[in-house]
Amino acid sequence: MASIMIHGKTAQMKRRRRWRVALALVACVLAGALWFAWDSANMQAEAQSALSVRNAVMEAAMQCAAVEGAYPASLKYLEEHYGLIVNHSDYAVTYEAFASNVPPSVVVVPR
């Protein structure tokens, strides 16, 4: 009779172990899904903030062209004369002016 009880406890222990393993796997999958969602949201936020910086630079350049009749030759000019503030430690901004009557090419990349 003792051997039957041991066998019964062993089967019960195996079921518990399976449930624990299944719960651990579900927890790992959920943690991975949460990490993926968090990473995706951060990437989207970075892209949106870079777009906002680019739009601010382009708006300042268009304001300069409207006031002065020409697009500025450099980003520095916009920062000094039009109050544009760019966080250069967070964004790499490429500002290329082809001619004074052509809008500049602006590329903003998060660092």
Side-chain angles (χ1 to χ4, degrees):
M1 193 176 232
S3 65
I4 295 173
M5 288 298 270
I6 293 174
H7 180 68
K9 286 184 179 180
T10 305
Q12 187 179 15
M13 290 172 68
K14 285 183 181 179
R15 275 181 277 176
R16 284 184 184 168
R17 180 174 288 156
R18 284 187 205 133
W19 274 105
R20 287 180 185 158
V21 169
L23 289 175
L25 287 174
V26 167
C28 288
V29 167
L30 285 175
L34 287 173
W35 177 79
F36 179 75
W38 178 263
D39 191 47
S40 177
N42 281 342
M43 287 175 50
Q44 287 178 352
E46 280 183 358
Q48 182 62 40
S49 63
L51 181 61
S52 295
V53 171
R54 183 187 184 282
N55 289 342
V57 171
M58 290 303 294
E59 287 175 14
M62 286 188 278
Q63 181 181 11
C64 178
V67 171
E68 298 180 15
Y71 288 99
S74 70
L75 181 64
K76 189 84 166 161
Y77 186 83
L78 291 174
E79 291 174 327
E80 291 172 356
H81 296 94
Y82 286 88
L84 179 67
I85 299 172
V86 176
N87 186 346
H88 292 283
S89 63
D90 289 343
Y91 301 99
V93 180
T94 303
Y95 182 95
E96 295 178 1
F98 176 69
S100 64
N101 62 341
V102 177
S105 170
V106 178
V107 177
V108 179
V109 179
R111 290 186 189 244

